[in-house]
Amino acid sequence: MSYLPKSPWLIHYDASSCNGCDIEVLACLTPLYDVERFGVLNIGNPKHADIFVITGSVNEQNKPVIQNLYNQMAEPKVVVAIGACATSGGIFRECYNVQGGIDKVIPVDVYVPGCAARPESIIDGVVKALGVLEEKHKNMTKVAK
Amino acid sequence: MNTVLFLILYPVIVALLLLILPQLAIRKFIVGASTAILTVASIYLMIDYFNTGAVFFEFGTHTLNLGILFIEVALAAIIVYISVKHKQFLAALLMLTGAIMTIWFEVTHGNQIHATHNLFVDNLSLIMTLIIGIIGGLIALFAVGYMEEYHKHHPNVKNRVPFFFFIVFAFLGAMYGLVFANNLMWLFFFWEITTFCSFFLIGYSRDEIAIKNAFKALKMNLLGGLAFSAAIIYLFTNANTVELNQLPNLASTVVLLPAALLAFAGISKAAQMPFSSWLLGAMVAPTPVSALLHSSTMVKAGVYLIIRLSPVFAFVEGGATVGLFVAMVGAVTFLLASFMAISQMDAKRVLAYSTIANLGLIVVCAGIGTYELVWAAIMLVIFHAIAKSLLFLSVGTVENNVGDRIIESMDGLITKMPKVAIGMVIGIAGMFLAPFGMLISKWAALEGLVSANPILTVFVAFGSAATLFFWTKWLGKIIMIKEKPADFVAKIPVTEQFTLTALAVMTIGVCLLFPLISKYSLEPFIQAIYGHAYMLDQSNVAILLIMMGIILVLPLRLMTYGELNYRPQYLAGSNSSEKEKFYGSLGLTRDVTMKSFYLENIFGEDKLFKLGVVSSIVLIIIMFGVGI
Amino acid sequence: MSGINATIAVILYIVLAPVVGGLISGVDRKISARMQGRYGPPILQPFYDVFKLMAKQNIVVNKHQKFYVLCFLVFIIITGAIFFAGGDLLLAIFALTLGSVFLIIAAYSTYSPYAYIGAEREMLQIMAYEPMVILTVVGMYMVTKSFSVFDIAMFDQPLIYSLPGIFLGFVFILTIKFRKSPFDISMSHHAHQEIVRGVVTEFSGKELAMVEVAHWYENVFLLGIVCLFFASNPVIAIVLAALTYFLEIFIDNNNSRLKWQSALGSAWIVALVLGVGNIAFLALR
Ligand code: SF4
């Protein structure tokens, strides 16, 4: 077992969220939920992060940003799409400038539903992501061997 | 003895040859050969007088003294003429006063003056000899290629290169004379010649600002010169001697005032506050001149004299108080010059302030004058000479290639001109980082000051912090890994390459060899004066050498990195597809650019300079008060 | 100190300092969390973080940055080694400076705006604390007449009696050195970074782990200096060093970040008043 699941660092990016989901993500850091219990840190820098947490849908403006941030993350990495917007486009789905969910530009590993997603389900999603992270790490070491 | 005379006269002969033979090829040959000859002669002299202690030579006749007087008067006449021509009456007045004092002294007392020892050689002279010969020579060699480029870049400046080299070599000759002279009148003669040489070199381009700055330097140094001749006259009329080595043996009633006067002369020549502005003004001259003034000649003459005075400060009763105020001038200079360097964007001005600061530190050490501090002072002289000439010449090379010498345009120099950049990194590291030279001496200085006068360490503590800031800032600019512009090609003449390489190797070399330099040169010298020598703690030397070894070996790691995963810089996710560009507002793609902190509001020149001038003048006045 | 003892001390330092430093950092995070009304991560969390970082892919902007970070780690270790071998305190400080300069240079070499700002601020921090550090060494020399850590530690009377001002000044700049609020202007362990992660923005994986471990070494060294003030009784020394660290955590959690102007100004004023005042007092005594 690697140490990855014990120290997941997040980068949280607000694609074009209405800020509802963002507030819920930040709520996870507050004393009530305190995700740092699990070693989770909101690190704010793709180069340090293991988990890419995105809220909101993809549009022309943020498409290259999402791609860049994803590219600058070190393997192994997982992407967690938070909220209806990030998973599918949500209520903005039909907008002229919206392309849809995050999976339109980068591979998403975990989808967290809700509008806004509740902190419990966000934490649940991150914990799911840890499993994927571990999986990816195994594959990585296998390839390396 | 013969070598000593050779070292003084040979550069003068070369100077004359270079003046009458203006062809480039011949100049290249003569300068190259002379550098080699001077180096060899300096080394020969060192071997010859290795471990002999101080050796004095009688040499000299009344006719010779008259000859010296004649040259002095002739030069004074030339300077007065030029000053009047440029309507610089203050300079003319200073020169006239000086000349009249000298002539009057010679006429009224000339017959009675009997210096038993006119020349001498000891370990300090030998060290200075090596610095002048090797570094001065290398700078001259560098100048051969540089001046050709210089005139290409500055078509308005009249090409007077033969005259330039005439002055450079005359300068070297005068410096040799200065470090071998024991007769203060001779010392003074060479002292004044260095003043004149720097005057001509600073004013080389003959544009308005160069002329102004040349006269500024002239005036300040002539003022120092006046103090010098006053010291000689006072000494002779009261103590009946004009010999440097006699000073520490004199009664405190007669020696303190001359010591203060000589220290004043040293302070002006070493560009300490309030005289620091002449050295900054000297930046208008071609870069090799700056290198020469800063490393092996001129300012080093100033601190050399003060180091020679340190036994007076240490042994003569009441000397310590005079010395303390000399040291205070140095301390104020060190602190404020280090601060001011932070706010400078022009690389040469940063270097100039750093020189002034380091000389300040040397003056602090020499002013207190305990054996540890004299050790530190001489070490500072050696390390500073090498690293600073390397830095100046590198900046000159960069300027000829990049087009300016602003630190901000040295971004990513390591990718543009890797070799020069590595040289500069070595030079900068040599100026302030641990296992390198300057830091070793700063360390010794701190250790010496704590036991001698703890309050002075406060100046060193704050000054060093500032030093760290401005050097690191510059270092960072140089080592940035940035895309090289496609059309950039660096052109560096062979003479420049050779000089830079030699100096870089020497910078590291002296750091590795400093225990030997200390053991065989400084310790006997200090032993002879103080009765006990500063011994380096062996385990610390070992640690320093280990650190040096690590620094030299670690770069090998760079070669062993295999495949790496490269990703562009983090630019908040808005990296564009091109390197070092990002999507800005309005859909425009913009370059990544970064500017350093210069902290003008805190460390701006205006305020600090005034503060420095006022406080140093007060200190100097107190110094004279104590002297009387 | 004899050669063998010194070697043992150095080996112990190299092996144990990361363990101690990591634990301190774990306790730090736990206490901070409790102060904020949270449960906090496990004590071993810093180790998990570092081991995780080691397992990650290493991505770089250029290869030079790896080299500089390596130098940073090496010279921080040397700093502590000099100190715990009982060597020259001033030399240790210079080695520390060299190490810190390597970290700054590593940040510069990446040509990244965030790392650049971090590097500049880091330099400001060094400029802010350096005078006080040197004055601390000067003060220790004035009392014990030696620069050797061994002699200082063996001095028969606690230095704090003669150096109260210097001690307080040193504790003040420790806040900068431990990268605690209000002086965590160049990088911070918290998620309130307007400059992303400052100096370390561009380091990832192994390099970041190296930086982290270097900080552990550095913290142990700094606490070692704190212990020197009470060296005549090792137990009290360690207790007081722990209290000092607790004080730093307390300050950290009760302050927001200052601007660099205030950091520089306050650190220099403290050095001038407490440091120089103490030294002047000793000199006149
Ligand atoms: S899912 Fe709902 S709350 Fe979340 S960003 Fe979209 S609209 Fe806002």
Side-chain angles (χ1 to χ4, degrees), chain A residues 3-4 6-7 9 29 31 34 36-37 39 41-45 47-50 72-76 137 140, chain C residues 29 36-42 45 48-49 51-52 56-57 59 61 191 196-197 200-204 208:
Chain A
Y3 287 92
L4 275 162
K6 290 198 158 163
S7 140
W9 290 358
L29 302 171
D34 187 26
E36 205 191 344
R37 278 178 295 161
L41 282 185
N42 184 0
I43 209 81
N45 176 355
K47 302 206 168 179
H48 297 179
D50 312 293
Q72 290 180 351
M73 286 174 69
E75 296 286 353
H137 178 246
M140 215 174 97
Chain C
R29 279 172 73 174
Q36 296 162 6
R38 293 186 288 118
Y39 182 76
Q45 187 62 43
Y48 300 154
D49 291 349
F51 288 131
K52 173 204 73 178
K56 295 270 291 184
Q57 180 197 29
I59 55 176
V61 180
V196 191
R197 293 279 287 160
V200 294
T201 303
E202 299 297 336
F203 311 145
S204 68
L208 193 60

Side-chain angles (χ1 to χ4, degrees), chain A residues 44 46-47 64-65 68-69 71-72, chain B residues 567-570 572-575 583:
Chain A
K47 302 206 168 179
V65 179
N68 275 327
L69 292 180
N71 279 336
Q72 290 180 351
Chain B
R567 294 284 194 289
Q569 295 87 344
Y570 175 71
S574 28
N575 307 57
Y583 297 123

Side-chain angles (χ1 to χ4, degrees), chain B residues 417-492:
Chain B
M417 303 166 74
K419 282 185 192 145
V420 179
I422 290 173
M424 284 175 87
V425 169
I426 293 174
I428 291 181
M431 293 304 295
F432 81 109
L433 278 183
F436 290 97
M438 291 300 279
L439 203 105
I440 300 171
S441 13
K442 203 178 260 177
W443 177 27
L446 260 177
E447 298 209 346
L449 281 176
V450 183
S451 35
N453 189 335
I455 295 300
L456 286 177
T457 57
V458 175
F459 290 88
V460 181
F462 281 90
S464 306
T467 311
L468 197 104
F469 186 79
F470 72 80
W471 283 127
T472 315
K473 182 170 80 169
W474 188 358
L475 190 59
K477 283 274 174 198
I478 296 173
I479 54 90
M480 274 177 179
I481 310 290
K482 193 184 164 187
E483 289 293 289
K484 181 175 159 181
D487 50 351
F488 184 87
V489 200
K491 275 204 316 269
I492 309 167

Side-chain angles (χ1 to χ4, degrees), chain A residues 17-21 56 83-85 91-92 114-116:
Chain A
S17 146
C18 78
N19 272 12
C21 286
C85 295
I91 55 167
F92 303 112
C115 174

Side-chain angles (χ1 to χ4, degrees), chain B residues 118-320:
Chain B
N118 283 317
L119 293 173
F120 78 124
V121 176
D122 68 358
N123 282 356
L124 180 56
S125 319
L126 286 177
I127 289 172
M128 292 300 290
T129 313
L130 287 179
I131 292 177
I132 300 163
I134 299 176
I135 299 179
L138 282 174
I139 294 172
L141 191 62
F142 178 93
V144 176
Y146 182 91
M147 289 313 284
E148 296 304 309
E149 290 288 312
Y150 176 85
H151 280 290
K152 271 182 221 152
H153 289 278
H154 300 82
N156 312 338
V157 177
K158 194 170 153 231
N159 191 330
R160 294 184 295 141
V161 172
F163 176 70
F164 179 87
F165 279 94
F166 168 73
I167 297 287
V168 166
F169 273 87
F171 209 153
L172 293 184
M175 278 305 290
Y176 276 123
L178 206 146
V179 299
F180 293 133
N182 185 46
N183 182 338
L184 280 173
M185 294 176 68
W186 290 24
L187 184 52
F188 178 62
F189 167 66
F190 294 120
W191 184 271
E192 292 289 78
I193 293 186
T194 58
T195 301
F196 303 150
C197 288
S198 62
F199 167 69
F200 287 119
L201 288 177
I202 296 169
Y204 177 75
S205 66
R206 286 202 181 161
D207 54 25
E208 204 174 320
I209 184 141
I211 289 174
K212 194 177 130 237
N213 290 341
F215 275 106
K216 187 192 266 175
L218 183 68
K219 278 182 275 192
M220 290 184 172
N221 281 303
L222 283 179
L223 193 63
L226 279 185
F228 201 129
S229 54
I232 295 175
I233 296 173
Y234 183 90
L235 255 186
F236 187 75
T237 44
N238 288 291
N240 206 18
T241 180
V242 286
E243 286 177 67
L244 186 62
N245 67 326
Q246 294 298 332
L247 290 184
N249 309 330
L250 298 175
S252 74
T253 42
V254 290
V255 77
L256 288 189
L257 183 63
L261 285 167
L262 289 177
F264 178 79
I267 284 171
S268 69
K269 187 142 280 198
Q272 298 296 288
M273 300 253 176
F275 301 110
S276 58
S277 55
W278 79 255
L279 194 59
L280 287 159
M283 291 297 126
V284 295
T287 302
V289 175
S290 314
L292 204 59
L293 294 180
H294 282 254
S295 63
S296 56
T297 62
M298 201 61 188
V299 295
K300 288 287 148 58
V303 289
Y304 166 81
L305 185 66
I306 299 181
I307 294 177
R308 285 283 180 211
L309 291 174
S310 52
V312 179
F313 301 139
F315 295 135
V316 176
E317 195 200 333

